Amino acid sequence: MGEKEEEDDDDNSQSKNEIKTFLLKKQFRGLHKLPITCLKTDSTGYLLATGSADGSVRVWDIIGNFCTNSYPISNDKKISCLEFNVVDENVVHLYFAGEMNVDLKLVNLSDKNSKPIIRKQAHSSEIIVLKYIKSMKNLISIARDCIISVWSPDLSEKLKNVTLLEPISAGFICENSLTAYCVADQNHLHRFDLKTYRHEKCLLSHHNN
């Protein structure tokens, strides 16, 4: 019995130690004037980008606890999505888009004097997903205007448009399988192959009444 109790105590102590790893380690205060609407980390995990309802974007060094880049309030009103592209160890790009203004923006975080590159009217309605695919060397955007767009890294060229016949309410891109998933307003789940740009399947959502 004694040995069993000791084993149970060891298991409990291990569980407690595991739980401790999830405790709050750092807290940032006053990041923006209005609530944060989106978050994104870079592939290294050292940088965190925050977008706010006030239309501003800031980038934070998570290790050093300081702001590395700040892009002031714009007419976007609310930042809807963010995406990093770590070009190399010296160059990091950040893409972002707003809810009201459908322009797509690119900033070079490594050059604080550089001005944002703006792709005017990238979509006709809110951009809800941005994903940079390293293997393709392209940026993918999904918007509520029923369109999935493929862009060159510098936003100079729109390479492809894939059109869905229903407005898109949510989306996700899996980089490993090069697949885009979109949920339409009528709760239909659509799957697209980004290698061929083909609409693979339409599934009824389990959220239907």
Side-chain angles (χ1 to χ4, degrees), residues 70-163:
S70 181
Y71 301 95
I73 296 171
S74 66
N75 59 354
D76 287 329
K77 292 190 177 179
K78 185 188 88 171
I79 302 301
S80 58
C81 50
L82 302 152
E83 175 64 339
F84 281 99
N85 173 20
V86 180
V87 180
D88 55 43
E89 61 181 8
N90 297 314
V91 179
V92 180
H93 291 167
L94 178 68
Y95 304 94
F96 60 92
E99 179 185 37
M100 303 300 294
N101 188 331
V102 291
D103 298 343
L104 186 54
K105 299 179 178 67
L106 162 65
V107 291
N108 181 359
L109 301 180
S110 307
D111 183 0
K112 294 185 178 181
N113 295 321
S114 66
K115 295 182 178 180
I117 295 172
I118 301 176
R119 179 74 185 207
K120 293 286 188 180
Q121 299 294 311
H123 286 269
S124 60
S125 62
E126 181 188 1
I127 300 170
I128 56 175
V129 177
L130 289 173
K131 181 67 176 178
Y132 183 79
I133 307 293
K134 283 189 175 182
S135 60
M136 296 174 62
K137 294 183 179 180
N138 292 135
L139 178 74
I140 312 294
S141 61
I142 300 176
R144 296 190 188 278
D145 60 4
C146 314
I147 294 176
I148 301 173
S149 296
V150 183
W151 304 88
S152 59
D154 61 359
L155 303 182
S156 62
E157 186 178 1
K158 182 184 287 188
L159 304 174
K160 186 75 176 180
N161 268 349
V162 179
T163 304

Side-chain angles (χ1 to χ4, degrees), residues 40-81:
K40 186 72 179 185
T41 59
D42 74 334
S43 58
T44 68
Y46 294 140
L47 295 178
L48 170 70
T50 56
S52 171
D54 63 14
S56 65
V57 172
R58 292 181 179 176
V59 181
W60 308 85
D61 184 310
I62 299 175
I63 306 301
N65 294 347
F66 62 90
C67 180
T68 65
N69 302 77
S70 181
Y71 301 95
I73 296 171
S74 66
N75 59 354
D76 287 329
K77 292 190 177 179
K78 185 188 88 171
I79 302 301
S80 58
C81 50

Side-chain angles (χ1 to χ4, degrees), residues 142 146 148 162-165 168 172 174 177-183 189-201:
I142 300 176
C146 314
I148 301 173
V162 179
T163 304
L164 187 63
L165 298 179
I168 299 170
F172 173 78
C174 179
S177 62
L178 294 179
T179 305
Y181 297 90
C182 298
V183 177
L189 177 62
H190 298 266
R191 186 174 70 195
F192 294 88
D193 186 339
L194 296 176
K195 298 185 293 293
T196 61
Y197 303 113
R198 290 184 179 179
H199 181 203
E200 287 191 327
K201 190 174 289 187

